Amino acid sequence: MEKTNKILIGILICLILLVLKNNSETSYTPSFPSQVDVNTGESVVQLGDNKIAIVNTEYYTENYGEILVLEFNEDKRTFEFISNYNYFEEIIIKE
């Protein structure tokens, strides 16, 4: 009986150590949001390296064809403006 108790206590200690070890390990998960909600008429394209582009696809607006490039700042947890470009203006100028 005493031998059985020692074995059970040993198993219990091993299980506790396994649980504590798994809790102490941290896995890296990027804080970049997986989804961004935008209004109708705009589409979001992920460019990689925490960068996205928002493209205005609503034809009857003055900003049609405008592309805004934003970079996610993990420290502030916000997007910061990088650049913009209007591909529609390029099409009109070249024609």
Side-chain angles (χ1 to χ4, degrees):
M1 190 77 154
E2 189 176 318
K3 196 175 199 179
T4 306
N5 284 345
K6 288 182 181 180
I7 292 173
L8 290 175
I9 290 173
I11 292 172
L12 181 62
I13 291 172
C14 288
L15 289 174
I16 291 172
L17 290 174
L18 285 173
V19 169
L20 292 176
K21 183 180 180 195
N22 285 340
N23 286 342
S24 67
E25 292 179 7
T26 58
S27 61
Y28 174 74
T29 54
S31 56
F32 187 77
S34 60
Q35 181 178 353
V36 179
D37 294 328
V38 293
N39 297 331
T40 306
E42 297 174 335
S43 57
V44 177
V45 179
Q46 186 167 359
L47 303 175
D49 296 333
N50 292 345
K51 291 182 183 175
I52 62 169
I54 300 175
V55 183
N56 186 327
T57 57
E58 194 168 344
Y59 189 75
Y60 296 105
T61 63
E62 65 182 48
N63 295 332
Y64 175 72
E66 184 175 24
I67 302 171
L68 299 175
V69 179
L70 307 171
E71 184 171 22
F72 186 71
N73 184 327
E74 291 187 22
D75 296 331
K76 296 179 182 177
R77 298 191 54 79
T78 59
F79 285 98
E80 296 178 353
F81 176 78
I82 301 295
S83 179
N84 67 330
Y85 177 76
N86 193 318
Y87 68 87
F88 188 67
E89 289 177 358
E90 292 292 322
I91 294 171
I92 293 174
I93 293 171
K94 289 183 179 182
E95 288 181 354

